[in-house]
Amino acid sequence: MMTKPFATTLDPATSLENHTGSWRTLRPVNVFKLPPCNKQCPAGENIQQWLYYSAEGDYEHAWRILTEDNPMPACMGRVCYHTCEGKCNRGFLDESVGINSVERFLGDYAIEHKLSFKKPVRETGKKVLIIGAGPAGLSAAYHLRRFGHNVHIVEMAKQPGGMMRYGIPVYRLPRNILDAEIARITDMGVTIECGRRVEDIVAEKLNGKYDAVILGLGASLSSNVNIPSGDTTHILSALEVLGDIASNTDVEIGRRVAVYGGGNTAVDVARSLRRMGADPIIVYRRNRDKMPANEEEMDDAIKEGIQVKWLSTIAQAEGEKLKIEKMVLDDNGKPQPTGEFDELSADSVVLAIGQNVDLSVVKKVEGLQLEKDAVTVDKDNMMTSVDGIFAAGDMVPGDRTVTAAIGMGKHAARGVNAYLKGTKYTRAQKHEDARFEDMHPWYYTDAPKTVRPQIELARRTNTFDEVQHGLTEENAIFEARRCLSCGNCMECDNCYGVCPDSAVVKLGPGKGYEFNYDYCKGCGVCAQECPCGHIKMVPEKI
């Protein structure tokens, strides 16, 4: 009698025949966390998602995701101070991801390939007036037009762009780039009327039969300071000088120029004057550590030969001599006078000590509440205290940056859209933060940050050519692939590969994974081996 041979190979279906996960106390779940870059971005971009598609080489898809929140990525890729990178978890591993450089690549790709925004599928018949064609107004117009509303912008300057055109130097933002991204917005059907100042907001709304108004006035008034001077013609404002340079107007300022201030405007005007043959020196009452100007911009200014007189203030301007008082910082970091003075030779003084919004026209609106030099708004929908009038940008309390203005314009547009539908817009709840300590970085290899090339230092001081260049396609893909995908699945298959019980189900490209709890023992290996912290072990439901 022959006996049946002993089976030495286990049937791989056996574990699926028997439910083996009944003894677990913890179960894995997919969690979706908020990456620190997304959280930090003033424009509210879904940075992690468009980096993912950039890494896949799907640039148009990446650009369209990016422009869901920000319609001007080529401009932002040049002028944004990319605070998102300062929060990037990759910085704990080696260096932060060059988010801003990839954003610029996508923006330039869209211009080169003539990508356009989709026009709305239906028209609502609602009319919205926007006052100001700066970043806040343009952003609001774009988002409103996507909703299908009729949008008209009135701008007092000769051309649209606001401070992007009249405040940011050409070597940082070439005007053909700005014009291309504005044209893409007007191609959607947004109309812009330049060279006219709105004197009566309420009358403009009534006469134009507008259903809502968004105020997007920029900070176009320079702050002043009382400097005793025998000749005030030698004291100019930074915005006036930058505006003249942007408009190709002759700037009669002399060779030796003292730029008074320590913000980004002071650095911009000093670097611009250097390119025009002047010999500027920045006079600032605090030290470098307390300087509000962007660190990279200040580094470039120093490389270009611009001197800085730290801990100094201008006490008097007489002829070509400035009386400079030395300052010291107290325990709170505030500058205090010492009574010690120096002399500094200067043909002119440029004041760059801050900018304010001209609220004279706003103050005519009855019932509109103000706080200091800003308009009071609902922080969710950006509506002012007057029904149907919204505000965004420099005239709203907050950071006065281009990126912040674009983000506020987006929320104002969403607020208007909800208002026109008879509802109220509230911002969505955010996911929990994606922390570096919840990730498993040993899966990521070291990859140094890609440095964007710049024109030679010797050329910078005699040309307004763009200083910083963009990334090549190869470098842009490499940089995008450095993203750790903090807190969200990147479909690396780790959980699928390490599960000992075939309890992880792969749903297909772009769909991620789910867990079959009939077979899961709750061992937690999947969570331990997830690089980006997307899987969390939670107590088993009883």
Side-chain angles (χ1 to χ4, degrees), residues 19 25 29 50 66 85 105-106 111 117 243 268 282 303 311 317 334 342 353 366 395 423 439 476 508 511-512 523:
H19 293 188
T25 58
V29 294
W50 59 253
L66 196 167
E85 294 182 20
F105 172 82
L106 293 175
I111 293 174
F117 294 135
D268 282 344
I282 296 175
K303 289 176 185 177
L311 293 168
K334 294 184 177 180
D342 278 339
I353 54 174
E366 186 176 350
M395 64 188 314
T423 60
M439 301 171 65
K511 298 178 181 179
C523 64

Side-chain angles (χ1 to χ4, degrees), residues 9 15 22 98 199 225 260 287 295 299 324 386 434 465 504:
T9 304
S15 62
S22 59
E199 298 292 348
V225 63
Y260 192 31
N287 57 23
E295 188 174 351
D299 287 341
I324 305 293
V386 177
D465 290 349
V504 178

Side-chain angles (χ1 to χ4, degrees), residues 88 144 157 162 250 310 312 346-347 433 440 487 498 506:
C88 176
L144 285 168
D250 289 336
W310 306 105
S312 301
D347 300 312
D433 293 347
H440 304 111
V498 300
K506 192 171 182 178

Side-chain angles (χ1 to χ4, degrees), residues 128-132 136-137 140 198 201-202 212-218 359 361-363 365 368 370 375 377 382 384 386 388-396 409 412 416:
V128 182
L129 170 67
I130 298 176
I131 302 176
V198 174
I201 295 170
V202 175
V213 177
I214 295 179
L215 307 176
L217 284 72
L359 296 177
V361 66
V362 176
K363 291 177 180 178
V365 180
L368 195 69
L370 305 176
V375 176
V377 297
M382 310 302 286
T384 68
V386 177
I389 298 181
F390 299 73
D394 290 347
M395 64 188 314
V396 174
V416 168

Side-chain angles (χ1 to χ4, degrees), residues 60 77 120 127 153-154 162 168 201 222 244 252 260 311 350 367 375 378 389 407 466 498 516 526:
E60 180 172 350
K127 290 180 64 179
I153 306 177
V154 177
I168 297 177
I201 295 170
S222 294
D244 287 344
E252 297 181 3
Y260 192 31
L311 293 168
V350 177
V375 176
D378 182 300
I389 298 181
E466 190 171 12
V498 300
N516 188 334
C526 55

